Amino acid sequence: MDKRKVIYYSDELNDEFSLAQITPRVIDGNYKYINTSVFNKCTHFFWYRIIATPIAYIYTKLVFRHRVIGREILKKYKNTGYFIYGNHTQDIADAFIPSMLNFPKDDYVIVHPNNVSMPILGKVTPSLGALPLPDDMHAYKNFIKAVEKRIEQKHTVVIYPEAHIWPYYTKIRPFKDVSFSYPIKLNTPAFCFTNTYQKRKFSKRPKITTYIDGPFYPDKTLSAKEQKKDLRDRIYNTMCKRAENSNIAVIEYRKRDEENG
């Protein structure tokens, strides 16, 4: 469990408070987002279903007494690919929680290149569904094709629009609307999940309750730019409302006094 009691921040959009220190690899046009070989399909099934899914269940239940409210909403869309947006407040749990929401669908998570840059685990995360953000235009084209392919295959694409990890943060940070262009372009439903923290009687570690909301569809009466902002705002406001269900703050976040540094 994170031992920090107080964290000072300056920029809600860009400050990063993960304890992991990783030098990211460059994701260029040579990065292979989709591998259709039989070997790759077998390794994906092995790592995702045989290894990761049971570990995710055990970890979230034992460590956080994880509970999901609203899972039935997603069951109605089992034959449809969709996007789901969540708040980013854990390093390990945030990799596991989506699979607890969307099972038996496969999740493909849009991640920072750090997630595919670790010496050993970085070789496995692509098989677990990691889609690292691209660093150049050639890679970007391949990235978009991969996102479209996974939606076409009726999988789930998971996005953490806050982008940076703020451990145990109990509010929703303002995030940009750039990632909300995907469901608009593909005319696909979007959902959101909000991880909230509650006190436990016999442990200092809080439990996590995840709320699922949606679907949210783009408003086609608006321009493309307005649709993106509108979709972002509706999801953001829903997550802010759900975040009010947290009743414990493990870490206190304080805005840094710019005059005193």
Side-chain angles (χ1 to χ4, degrees):
M1 184 171 170
D2 200 310
K3 301 297 183 183
R4 292 173 289 183
K5 298 299 181 184
V6 178
I7 290 178
Y8 290 90
Y9 68 91
S10 302
D11 185 346
E12 289 178 286
L13 284 174
N14 298 302
D15 284 354
E16 169 70 57
F17 297 116
S18 171
L19 294 174
Q21 298 296 320
I22 302 168
T23 301
R25 60 180 289 188
V26 175
I27 306 298
D28 57 20
N30 294 317
Y31 185 86
K32 200 164 188 177
Y33 281 98
I34 297 179
N35 190 326
T36 58
S37 69
V38 173
F39 176 77
N40 181 263
K41 291 179 180 179
C42 290
T43 55
H44 171 71
F45 179 81
F46 173 76
W47 287 112
Y48 192 87
R49 288 297 177 207
I50 305 301
I51 303 297
T53 301
I55 290 176
Y57 180 82
I58 293 170
Y59 179 86
T60 55
K61 287 295 184 183
L62 288 184
V63 177
F64 289 106
R65 295 293 188 268
H66 185 231
R67 180 188 177 202
V68 180
I69 296 177
R71 189 187 282 113
E72 68 279 359
I73 294 172
L74 299 178
K75 289 182 178 179
K76 300 175 184 178
Y77 295 84
K78 61 182 180 181
N79 294 319
T80 303
Y82 53 76
F83 294 89
I84 187 165
Y85 297 81
N87 54 327
H88 210 1
T89 62
Q90 291 290 322
D91 47 6
I92 298 175
D94 281 358
F96 290 153
I97 286 176
S99 62
M100 299 296 97
L101 313 180
N102 300 302
F103 184 86
K105 278 180 175 286
D106 283 4
D107 294 313
Y108 289 86
V109 186
I110 295 178
V111 300
H112 188 278
N114 283 353
N115 291 269
V116 296
S117 304
M118 295 168 280
I120 298 175
L121 191 57
K123 305 294 184 182
V124 176
T125 50
S127 291
L128 294 174
L131 297 173
L133 290 167
D135 287 312
D136 62 30
M137 283 305 298
H138 190 181
Y140 177 76
K141 291 178 181 178
N142 295 335
F143 168 77
I144 292 298
K145 288 179 181 177
V147 171
E148 292 176 349
K149 183 68 174 179
R150 298 314 181 191
I151 291 296
E152 181 184 310
Q153 292 172 328
K154 302 179 181 180
H155 297 313
T156 303
V157 175
V158 181
I159 301 173
Y160 289 101
E162 293 172 324
H164 303 281
I165 298 176
W166 284 29
Y168 295 95
Y169 192 60
T170 57
K171 297 180 181 179
I172 305 300
R173 289 166 275 149
F175 46 75
K176 298 178 181 179
D177 63 10
V178 60
S179 65
F180 293 86
S181 62
Y182 306 133
I184 293 169
K185 180 181 179 181
L186 300 179
N187 195 29
T188 304
F191 299 84
C192 65
F193 66 95
T194 311
N195 294 320
T196 65
Y197 294 91
Q198 288 79 39
K199 294 179 181 179
R200 286 162 63 179
K201 289 183 179 180
F202 305 109
S203 175
K204 292 183 179 180
R205 190 188 299 274
K207 67 178 180 179
I208 294 178
T209 301
T210 301
Y211 293 86
I212 301 172
D213 290 286
F216 300 89
Y217 284 94
D219 184 348
K220 295 298 184 180
T221 66
L222 304 174
S223 68
K225 183 177 180 180
E226 291 171 332
Q227 286 182 55
K228 197 164 56 169
K229 182 181 183 302
D230 172 70
L231 186 60
R232 176 264 179 207
D233 289 350
R234 282 187 281 139
I235 287 178
Y236 175 78
N237 291 334
T238 299
M239 294 175 70
C240 285
K241 186 65 176 178
R242 289 298 193 186
E244 294 176 4
N245 289 299
S246 290
N247 62 19
I248 184 174
V250 174
I251 298 175
E252 181 183 354
Y253 284 82
R254 297 178 185 172
K255 185 75 178 281
R256 192 181 300 278
D257 187 333
E258 293 181 1
E259 293 185 2
N260 298 323

